[in-house]
């Protein structure tokens, strides 16, 4: 408590020395010739920056400000994410002799919420280099890359399907990945879950996956949820994401996911594998003509009819292929390009090396999305999965 008191009084003291102005006032002063400096870090600026602002991270401010603005008489406005770091930045500039420095209260968050103009292009040099080959695609470009960096995907399972999908979504720069898995890495996972490593057997899968993803692309945010998807956490876990990659290894989780994505109005990128075959589709409740998972599988199969990987076995490359098909669909949804698998079921047969596509229309009598469908709560879904399982 004393710590927060200390911090509060220290902030109040700082505010006496550094004038604060609103984002709207800052925007007005910019038009009069003031220099607005965005002191946030490069990765924070990936989601945009005020139009005309000079990007100069707090850590480099004292070092580089004189190159950008040697005139100590110019009006300078410092902006950060929420308005605290900019107070410190402004104070540092005052100490260097800049005479007219203010801090923008509320920072970029408030700037954005007040609808002030934001520059669309704010890729830094690292991003331009890292994503060069996909930036070159006219269907992606800078605006597409910004969409990716602002997107968030939840991956249910850091296993066979989630692992390859996570690797490529991270590499592509999808801004936030949430991994949901409560298992630990086992040696028998490694023939297909190549995101993990032999030395990490026994470690929680989420943590093991995070190590690989962070090493691959340190720019993205990786959130870990060491939980099993259940009736009482499914909506909480999913909320706040743009889409879900379904890598569930059990039917209760898959049916919960199907129900929650419908209720939260978010796309579910479905994938499943068994032995030498796999299938992929996209269920997108935002589109009226989209089927849901239960248009395809109204009820869970009996346990004997639905062997999982540990019982039936699976060729190691198979979940890699299916997981990457899911990642491809996820990227297309985020970018808004191409024709998605909505309304189509893609089946893959590795032994014969054949892809087969079947039309998957919405079922008017579907127990998940049909006219007479009733939602009796997630507990109810868990219960009927266990009964038929
Ligand atoms: Zn349906």
């Amino acid at each position: 408590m004393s710590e927060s008191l200390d911090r509060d009084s220290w902030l109040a003291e700082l505010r006496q020395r550094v004038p604060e102005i609103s984002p709207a006032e800052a925007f007005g002063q910019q038009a009069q010739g003031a220099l607005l400096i965005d002191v946030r870090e490069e990765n924070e600026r990936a989601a945009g920056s005020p139009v005309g602002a000079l990007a100069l991270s707090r850590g480099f401010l004292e070092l580089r400000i004189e190159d950008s603005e040697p005139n100590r008489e110019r009006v300078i406005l410092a902006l950060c994410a929420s308005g605290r770091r900019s107070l410190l930045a402004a104070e540092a500039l005052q100490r260097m002799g800049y005479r007219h420095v203010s801090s923008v209260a509320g920072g970029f968050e408030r700037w954005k919420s007040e609808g002030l103009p934001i520059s669309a292009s704010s890729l830094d040099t690292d991003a331009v280099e890292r994503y060069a080959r996909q930036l070159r695609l006219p269907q992606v470009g800078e605006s597409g890359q910004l969409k990716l960096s602002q997107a968030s995907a939840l991956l249910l399972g850091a296993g066979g399907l989630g692992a390859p999908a996570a690797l490529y979504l991270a590499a592509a720069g999808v801004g936030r990945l949430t991994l949901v898995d409560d298992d630990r890495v086992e040696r028998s996972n490694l023939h297909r879950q190549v995101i993990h490593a032999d030395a990490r057997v026994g470690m929680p899968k989420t943590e093991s996956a995070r190590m690989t993803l962070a090493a691959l692309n340190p720019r993205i945010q990786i959130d870990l949820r060491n939980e099993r998807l259940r009736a009482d956490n499914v909506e909480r876990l999913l909320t706040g994401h743009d889409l879900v990659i379904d890598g569930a290894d059990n039917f209760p989780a898959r049916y919960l996911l199907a129900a929650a994505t419908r209720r939260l109005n978010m796309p579910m990128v479905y994938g499943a594998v068994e032995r030498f075959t796999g299938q992929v589709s996209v269920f997108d409740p935002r589109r009226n003509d989209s089927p849901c998972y239960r248009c395809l599988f109204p009820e869970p199969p009996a346990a004997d009819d639905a062997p999982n990987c540990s019982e039936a076995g699976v060729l190691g490359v198979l979940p890699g292929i299916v997981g990457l098909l899911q990642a491809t669909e996820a990227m297309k949804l985020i970018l808004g390009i191409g024709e998605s698998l909505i309304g189509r079921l893609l089946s893959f047969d590795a032994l014969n090396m054949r892809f087969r596509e079947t039309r998957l229309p919405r079922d008017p009598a579907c127990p998940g999305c049909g006219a007479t469908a009733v939602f009796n709560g997630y507990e109810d879904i868990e219960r009927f999965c266990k009964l038929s399982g």
Side-chain angles (χ1 to χ4, degrees):
M1 183 177 155
S2 67
E3 196 176 295
S4 77
L5 270 180
D6 281 354
R7 202 180 58 180
D8 286 350
S9 60
W10 164 80
L11 264 176
E13 212 180 288
L14 201 54
R15 287 197 164 102
Q16 288 183 349
R17 293 196 298 272
V18 178
E20 283 184 296
I21 58 170
S22 72
E25 286 171 315
F27 182 59
Q29 290 196 18
Q30 244 186 317
Q32 316 266 314
L35 173 66
L36 179 64
I37 303 179
D38 186 342
V39 301
R40 294 175 302 155
E41 299 303 317
E42 285 196 352
N43 62 336
E44 298 179 271
R45 289 196 300 267
S49 191
V51 157
L54 171 70
L56 190 45
S57 302
R58 175 68 191 90
F60 297 111
L61 185 65
E62 288 95 324
L63 218 57
R64 296 191 184 155
I65 181 64
E66 284 178 307
D67 295 334
S68 302
E69 186 47 85
N71 178 7
R72 300 305 207 255
E73 298 300 321
R74 186 170 178 191
V75 175
I76 293 182
L77 317 166
L79 173 138
C80 66
S82 67
R84 286 187 179 193
R85 265 177 296 167
S86 57
L87 280 169
L88 288 165
E91 196 199 29
L93 291 173
Q94 285 179 340
R95 262 184 279 134
M96 291 180 71
Y98 290 88
R99 286 160 43 84
H100 312 288
V101 191
S102 303
S103 165
V104 180
F108 185 65
E109 288 305 314
R110 190 170 154 196
W111 180 284
K112 215 167 46 173
S113 72
E114 293 186 0
L116 293 165
I118 294 169
S119 69
S121 166
S122 55
L123 293 181
D124 55 53
T125 49
D126 176 280
V128 169
E129 193 178 348
R130 183 179 302 270
Y131 307 122
R133 299 298 185 278
Q134 74 190 23
L135 284 168
R136 199 159 293 169
L137 300 168
Q139 294 85 344
V140 181
E142 280 204 0
S143 65
Q145 193 62 53
L146 287 168
K147 280 185 199 165
L148 290 171
S149 73
Q150 286 161 30
S152 57
L154 180 134
L155 295 106
L156 178 61
L161 298 172
L167 277 168
Y168 278 83
L169 293 178
V174 172
R176 181 163 67 101
L177 299 178
T178 301
L179 309 177
V180 181
D181 202 311
D182 71 337
D183 282 340
R184 287 174 181 273
V185 179
E186 293 174 26
R187 193 156 278 117
S188 66
N189 298 148
L190 299 176
H191 95 303
R192 63 193 184 285
Q193 300 176 20
V194 296
I195 201 168
H196 305 302
D198 190 70
R200 305 205 288 262
V201 168
M203 185 184 281
K205 279 190 182 176
T206 49
E207 180 55 29
S208 166
R210 191 197 59 77
M211 291 169 76
T212 303
L213 297 174
L216 177 62
N217 189 349
R219 297 177 65 95
I220 65 158
Q221 182 183 335
I222 304 156
D223 292 340
L224 308 182
R225 303 283 180 261
N226 277 310
E227 297 178 62
R228 195 171 182 77
L229 197 78
R230 293 183 318 263
D232 60 4
N233 67 7
V234 59
E235 277 205 7
R236 172 172 59 79
L237 288 171
L238 263 58
T239 299
H241 296 87
D242 297 316
L243 56 88
V244 177
I245 304 273
D246 167 20
D249 61 354
N250 64 88
F251 282 100
R254 194 156 262 162
Y255 279 83
L256 286 173
L257 205 58
T261 48
R262 276 207 73 72
R263 291 175 60 78
L264 298 171
N265 209 29
M266 60 200 281
M268 165 176 172
V269 184
Y270 159 71
V273 290
E274 187 200 344
R275 298 188 175 103
F276 299 98
T277 61
Q279 49 185 219
V280 193
S281 192
V282 174
F283 309 115
D284 190 348
R286 299 172 305 175
R287 264 182 49 178
N288 232 351
D289 59 339
S290 171
C292 78
Y293 175 70
R294 295 184 70 182
C295 293
L296 179 61
F297 298 115
E299 310 293 340
D304 297 345
D305 299 337
N308 59 27
C309 284
S310 59
E311 293 155 358
V314 65
L315 193 69
V317 291
L318 199 76
I321 291 164
V322 171
L324 289 194
L325 290 172
Q326 290 178 282
T328 310
E329 288 302 296
M331 287 187 65
K332 282 162 56 188
L333 284 172
I334 293 167
L335 292 166
I337 60 172
E339 196 178 325
S340 89
L341 273 177
I342 295 169
R344 298 183 288 153
L345 179 70
L346 184 67
S347 305
F348 172 57
D349 172 354
L351 280 184
N352 295 301
M353 199 47 86
R354 277 205 185 100
F355 283 92
R356 194 163 48 92
E357 187 185 306
T358 40
R359 222 170 64 80
L360 182 60
R362 190 167 175 186
D363 176 5
C366 168
C369 72
T372 55
V374 195
F375 178 72
N376 287 322
Y378 294 112
E379 283 78 7
D380 193 59
I381 293 170
E382 232 170 22
R383 210 171 304 125
F384 83 64
C385 283
K386 277 174 187 148
L387 283 178
S388 49

